PDB file of all heavy atoms in Angstrom:
ATOM      1  N   LEU A 158     128.755  56.463 123.891  1.00  0.00           N
ATOM      2  CA  LEU A 158     128.654  57.875 124.261  1.00  0.00           C
ATOM      3  C   LEU A 158     129.559  58.750 123.406  1.00  0.00           C
ATOM      4  O   LEU A 158     129.126  59.777 122.866  1.00  0.00           O
ATOM      5  CB  LEU A 158     129.021  58.056 125.735  1.00  0.00           C
ATOM      6  CG  LEU A 158     128.012  57.603 126.787  1.00  0.00           C
ATOM      7  CD1 LEU A 158     128.656  57.606 128.163  1.00  0.00           C
ATOM      8  CD2 LEU A 158     126.784  58.506 126.783  1.00  0.00           C
ATOM      9  N   ARG A 159     130.819  58.343 123.284  1.00  0.00           N
ATOM     10  CA  ARG A 159     131.843  59.219 122.715  1.00  0.00           C
ATOM     11  C   ARG A 159     132.073  59.027 121.221  1.00  0.00           C
ATOM     12  O   ARG A 159     132.529  59.952 120.548  1.00  0.00           O
ATOM     13  CB  ARG A 159     133.179  58.974 123.438  1.00  0.00           C
ATOM     14  CG  ARG A 159     133.127  59.180 124.935  1.00  0.00           C
ATOM     15  CD  ARG A 159     132.975  60.622 125.290  1.00  0.00           C
ATOM     16  NE  ARG A 159     133.045  60.850 126.736  1.00  0.00           N
ATOM     17  CZ  ARG A 159     132.733  61.986 127.320  1.00  0.00           C
ATOM     18  NH1 ARG A 159     132.350  63.017 126.590  1.00  0.00           N
ATOM     19  NH2 ARG A 159     132.800  62.116 128.632  1.00  0.00           N
ATOM     20  N   GLN A 160     131.813  57.848 120.703  1.00  0.00           N
ATOM     21  CA  GLN A 160     132.123  57.572 119.301  1.00  0.00           C
ATOM     22  C   GLN A 160     130.858  57.506 118.444  1.00  0.00           C
ATOM     23  O   GLN A 160     130.786  56.766 117.466  1.00  0.00           O
ATOM     24  CB  GLN A 160     132.940  56.282 119.194  1.00  0.00           C
ATOM     25  CG  GLN A 160     134.299  56.405 119.864  1.00  0.00           C
ATOM     26  CD  GLN A 160     135.160  55.170 119.674  1.00  0.00           C
ATOM     27  OE1 GLN A 160     134.873  54.316 118.854  1.00  0.00           O
ATOM     28  NE2 GLN A 160     136.230  55.079 120.453  1.00  0.00           N
ATOM     29  N   VAL A 161     129.865  58.268 118.853  1.00  0.00           N
ATOM     30  CA  VAL A 161     128.615  58.393 118.103  1.00  0.00           C
ATOM     31  C   VAL A 161     128.418  59.864 117.756  1.00  0.00           C
ATOM     32  O   VAL A 161     128.651  60.737 118.594  1.00  0.00           O
ATOM     33  CB  VAL A 161     127.423  57.857 118.932  1.00  0.00           C
ATOM     34  CG1 VAL A 161     126.106  58.145 118.217  1.00  0.00           C
ATOM     35  CG2 VAL A 161     127.568  56.373 119.191  1.00  0.00           C
ATOM     36  N   ASP A 162     128.002  60.129 116.547  1.00  0.00           N
ATOM     37  CA  ASP A 162     127.786  61.507 116.100  1.00  0.00           C
ATOM     38  C   ASP A 162     126.404  61.967 116.563  1.00  0.00           C
ATOM     39  O   ASP A 162     125.450  62.039 115.788  1.00  0.00           O
ATOM     40  CB  ASP A 162     127.894  61.572 114.571  1.00  0.00           C
ATOM     41  CG  ASP A 162     127.775  62.997 114.049  1.00  0.00           C
ATOM     42  OD1 ASP A 162     127.884  63.944 114.863  1.00  0.00           O
ATOM     43  OD2 ASP A 162     127.558  63.166 112.836  1.00  0.00           O
ATOM     44  N   TRP A 163     126.314  62.308 117.852  1.00  0.00           N
ATOM     45  CA  TRP A 163     125.035  62.731 118.421  1.00  0.00           C
ATOM     46  C   TRP A 163     124.643  64.146 118.003  1.00  0.00           C
ATOM     47  O   TRP A 163     123.463  64.484 117.956  1.00  0.00           O
ATOM     48  CB  TRP A 163     125.101  62.687 119.947  1.00  0.00           C
ATOM     49  CG  TRP A 163     125.144  61.321 120.540  1.00  0.00           C
ATOM     50  CD1 TRP A 163     126.190  60.733 121.190  1.00  0.00           C
ATOM     51  CD2 TRP A 163     124.080  60.363 120.563  1.00  0.00           C
ATOM     52  NE1 TRP A 163     125.853  59.471 121.615  1.00  0.00           N
ATOM     53  CE2 TRP A 163     124.565  59.218 121.251  1.00  0.00           C
ATOM     54  CE3 TRP A 163     122.769  60.346 120.077  1.00  0.00           C
ATOM     55  CZ2 TRP A 163     123.773  58.083 121.458  1.00  0.00           C
ATOM     56  CZ3 TRP A 163     121.992  59.220 120.283  1.00  0.00           C
ATOM     57  CH2 TRP A 163     122.493  58.114 120.959  1.00  0.00           C
ATOM     58  N   SER A 164     125.594  64.979 117.746  1.00  0.00           N
ATOM     59  CA  SER A 164     125.347  66.409 117.514  1.00  0.00           C
ATOM     60  C   SER A 164     124.481  66.646 116.272  1.00  0.00           C
ATOM     61  O   SER A 164     124.659  65.951 115.245  1.00  0.00           O
ATOM     62  CB  SER A 164     126.687  67.119 117.355  1.00  0.00           C
ATOM     63  OG  SER A 164     126.514  68.484 117.137  1.00  0.00           O
ATOM     64  N   PRO A 165     123.564  67.645 116.381  1.00  0.00           N
ATOM     65  CA  PRO A 165     123.212  68.414 117.579  1.00  0.00           C
ATOM     66  C   PRO A 165     122.003  67.798 118.284  1.00  0.00           C
ATOM     67  O   PRO A 165     121.092  67.297 117.639  1.00  0.00           O
ATOM     68  CB  PRO A 165     122.856  69.783 116.999  1.00  0.00           C
ATOM     69  CG  PRO A 165     122.252  69.452 115.650  1.00  0.00           C
ATOM     70  CD  PRO A 165     122.954  68.213 115.159  1.00  0.00           C
ATOM     71  N   LEU A 166     122.003  67.863 119.621  1.00  0.00           N
ATOM     72  CA  LEU A 166     120.880  67.364 120.416  1.00  0.00           C
ATOM     73  C   LEU A 166     120.564  68.356 121.531  1.00  0.00           C
ATOM     74  O   LEU A 166     121.462  68.896 122.167  1.00  0.00           O
ATOM     75  CB  LEU A 166     121.198  66.007 121.056  1.00  0.00           C
ATOM     76  CG  LEU A 166     121.122  64.736 120.206  1.00  0.00           C
ATOM     77  CD1 LEU A 166     121.379  63.529 121.096  1.00  0.00           C
ATOM     78  CD2 LEU A 166     119.800  64.613 119.484  1.00  0.00           C
TER      79      LEU A 166
END
Side-chain angles (χ1 to χ4, degrees):
L158 286 169
R159 303 290 185 191
Q160 296 184 14
V161 173
D162 184 14
W163 289 111
S164 180
L166 282 184

